[in-house]
Amino acid sequence: MNELTSPTAERASATGSAGAFWRAMWAVVWKDLSAEWRSRELLTGMLVFAVLVILIFNFALELDAKARASVTSGVLWVTFAFAGTLGLNRSMASEKDRGCLDGLLLAPVDRSAIYFGKAIGNLIFMLVVEMVVLPLYSVLYNTNLFHPGLLLVVLMGSIGYVAVGTLLSTMAVQARTRDILLPILLFPLVVPVMIAAVKASGGFLQGVPWEELKVWINLLLVYDVIFVAIAFMFFDYVVEE
Amino acid sequence: METKPRWLTVLDVLTAIFFVVAVFLVFVFAPMERTMGLVQKVFYFHVATAWVGMLGFMVAAVAGILYLIKGDRQYDTLGLAAVEISLVFFFVAIIMGSVWARPIWNTWWTWDPRLTTATIVELIYAAYIMLRQGIEDPDRRARFGAVYAILGFLSVPLTFISIRLLRTIHPVVIGSGDPSAEGAFNMSPRMKVAFFYSLFTFSVVFVDLLLHRLRMGKLAARVEELRLKVSA
């Protein structure tokens, strides 16, 4: 990260050039990934939590072969959503706690680069958790979840979830009731993602033809486009002092 | 301290008169529905309260946009007022719907798109108010409230579409009706009069309450100011 060591040069290049935007964004992503690589706090927490959720579902729903066919996609997405909130909260709280967020905001870069940096970091963490949960679930319940359609749905659903979640977690950490606030703010807004993702994943696992599932994929696509754009527009207002 | 303005009192009286007329139209003027009978009367106020519930959502989103552009605290009070009123009205609409659904659908509640969307809208309103309660700094509270109101307003149509893609039994009385909907009916001209008059009346009720709430918000800000002056 040599470019960050000379602030004057950075400031000059930060005024609008696309190269500076990408560099700033990847610097934020890189910072999150290397911090996580050293502490391994967030991912361990999310993963253990995800496994526990699946375990609880196992007892709560008696996941025998017949029940599994219809509830697998629901169990998976509830697990992703819960583990996702845990990660989003932690990722933003660690920025807030030691004043790192203020430091980031003081950097002479476009604020949306910070948003996209945080969002991509959160997306990577969420995808890592999902890529561990899917094979684990496959082994535990003796099914094969590695269907290309399902992987597409997981990616698209996670993008929508993280796009809104990153914006809302930035708001939630600045409130007094931060830990309970994020799921309350986030879940009512991601209902479309959850419905479409559960329906599409279930459809792919049960071999429903693509024509019938296209509508859910389109819905996910529309949600992703709208909310990435909206979060990008509003992030400035959420971090303004 | 300013007293309640004259025109607001006039509007209060007008609203009360409109309301009495609406009750008359619904119970006396509009004919009894042939198959559903008396319980169909719920429909006039049910749709009207639900309309006010959605109206407040729109007002809050527009107020949010205006606040973010202009930074005037008045728009923030407007957004909060609209959400508070709509929270109550939407709840009333849901309760009235249940009263109607019990004899017609034979259940208090069903996970139909409109009912589910209504619940989610209520939850978004509740989340909006909880978000505001968690933040002390008034500027930040106003900004976050505005952003959340806009996000909520954008997500609700998508929620509705996604649930609609599942299945519906809610009757669509206005516009083209799905023949499989249970409890659908055609409105006679007199019913239409009562219906549209109810919509109008509840819109006036909404505006009246909104103006009162705005005035209250202004007074609350004033009290806050004076308290700071005294404690300083």
Side-chain angles (χ1 to χ4, degrees):
Chain A
M1 297 206 291
N2 284 328
E3 67 269 26
L4 290 182
T5 52
S6 81
T8 41
E10 179 65 21
R11 206 166 305 221
S13 67
T15 49
S17 98
F21 180 91
W22 288 106
R23 268 206 308 281
M25 190 182 86
W26 286 115
V28 175
V29 176
W30 186 246
K31 166 196 78 70
D32 273 8
L33 291 183
S34 56
E36 181 54 29
W37 181 249
R38 280 165 205 160
S39 69
R40 295 186 190 86
E41 268 174 359
L42 198 146
L43 272 177
T44 345
M46 284 170 85
L47 278 172
V48 173
F49 183 76
V51 174
L52 285 171
V53 172
I54 290 179
L55 199 77
I56 290 171
F57 268 122
N58 178 51
F59 298 124
L61 295 178
E62 300 274 347
L63 287 175
D64 53 34
K66 225 165 85 191
R68 275 201 306 269
S70 54
V71 300
T72 294
S73 61
V75 169
L76 284 176
W77 279 101
V78 171
T79 310
F80 297 159
F82 285 0
T85 21
L86 213 64
L88 287 169
N89 243 335
R90 183 73 213 134
S91 152
M92 260 310 166
S94 61
E95 294 288 358
K96 188 73 188 158
D97 281 345
R98 287 169 212 151
C100 303
L101 189 60
D102 298 331
L104 271 180
L105 294 176
L106 282 175
V109 294
D110 197 336
R111 293 260 164 98
S112 52
I114 299 172
Y115 167 76
F116 280 114
K118 287 304 287 183
I120 290 173
N122 287 332
L123 182 65
I124 292 173
F125 294 143
M126 197 155 165
L127 290 176
V128 168
V129 171
E130 286 160 349
M131 286 312 116
V132 174
V133 166
L134 286 181
L136 190 72
Y137 192 97
S138 305
V139 171
L140 288 178
Y141 295 105
N142 197 23
T143 48
N144 181 18
L145 294 181
F146 281 86
H147 186 292
L150 181 75
L151 296 182
L152 175 73
V153 174
V154 165
L155 178 67
M156 291 177 77
S158 306
I159 289 174
Y161 187 88
V162 164
V164 182
T166 306
L167 182 70
L168 291 179
S169 68
T170 317
M171 281 164 47
V173 290
Q174 299 180 59
R176 206 164 3 95
T177 44
R178 54 158 95 167
D179 290 327
I180 41 167
L181 203 52
L182 179 63
I184 290 172
L185 293 177
L186 179 58
F187 287 166
L189 296 190
V190 294
V191 170
V193 174
M194 285 298 136
I195 293 175
V198 167
K199 278 283 153 194
S201 322
F204 279 121
L205 290 177
Q206 286 164 10
V208 176
W210 166 256
E211 280 69 39
E212 283 175 45
L213 296 177
K214 216 164 58 185
V215 59
W216 300 114
I217 302 291
N218 287 342
L219 194 68
L220 279 174
L221 189 68
V222 168
Y223 189 96
D224 287 1
V225 170
I226 291 179
F227 280 91
V228 168
I230 289 293
F232 163 73
M233 280 165 64
F234 286 137
F235 187 70
D236 252 8
Y237 292 110
V238 165
V239 291
E240 196 175 276
E241 284 303 323
Chain B
M1 185 104 342
E2 55 181 303
T3 49
K4 184 174 160 187
R6 189 71 169 268
W7 56 267
L8 196 55
T9 315
V10 174
L11 186 63
D12 288 348
V13 174
L14 275 180
T15 311
I17 295 170
F18 284 154
F19 204 91
V20 171
V21 175
V23 170
F24 171 79
L25 284 182
V26 166
F27 284 99
V28 182
F29 181 74
M32 192 74 87
E33 213 274 327
R34 205 173 299 145
T35 46
M36 286 185 272
L38 198 59
V39 74
Q40 182 267 340
K41 302 283 185 199
V42 164
F43 156 79
Y44 301 105
F45 284 1
H46 166 67
V47 178
T49 44
W51 153 248
V52 169
M54 290 313 288
L55 195 67
F57 213 35
M58 252 181 290
V59 171
V62 172
I65 294 170
L66 287 173
Y67 177 79
L68 291 183
I69 295 171
K70 302 202 170 148
D72 185 346
R73 197 73 64 69
Q74 271 193 337
Y75 294 116
D76 179 51
T77 318
L78 177 67
L80 176 63
V83 168
E84 278 181 359
I85 296 167
S86 293
L87 180 75
V88 175
F89 271 78
F90 223 49
F91 188 69
V92 172
I94 292 172
I95 298 291
M96 284 206 262
S98 279
V99 169
W100 176 86
R102 178 67 194 152
I104 305 300
W105 289 343
N106 204 21
T107 174
W108 294 109
W109 186 259
T110 167
W111 293 102
D112 155 272
R114 285 176 195 222
L115 278 69
T116 313
T117 312
T119 317
I120 291 165
V121 170
E122 278 289 283
L123 287 171
I124 293 176
Y125 284 147
Y128 173 89
I129 288 171
M130 286 182 71
L131 172 67
R132 298 185 62 106
Q133 279 172 348
I135 304 165
E136 272 107 27
D137 177 30
D139 275 325
R140 182 180 290 170
R141 186 169 58 214
R143 260 187 287 121
F144 286 14
V147 170
Y148 195 70
I150 298 166
L151 283 178
F153 186 70
L154 287 170
S155 84
V156 165
L158 284 174
T159 302
F160 182 71
I161 292 167
S162 59
I163 305 172
R164 183 116 208 201
L165 288 170
L166 295 171
R167 219 182 58 169
T168 181
I169 65 163
H170 193 291
V172 182
V173 179
I174 306 288
S176 71
D178 177 3
S180 68
E182 287 172 48
F185 61 98
N186 289 318
M187 278 196 284
S188 74
R190 284 184 156 214
M191 282 178 169
K192 274 186 190 147
V193 170
F195 171 72
F196 285 110
Y197 186 79
S198 301
L199 278 188
F200 164 74
T201 303
F202 274 83
S203 307
V204 175
V205 171
F206 175 73
V207 171
D208 187 45
L209 287 173
L210 196 67
L211 291 171
H212 275 284
R213 182 63 186 79
L214 278 177
R215 189 167 160 267
M216 205 175 101
K218 247 184 238 165
L219 291 178
R222 184 84 191 282
V223 168
E224 191 75 12
E225 228 173 75
L226 291 173
R227 189 177 290 156
L228 283 175
K229 235 179 240 171
V230 170
S231 65

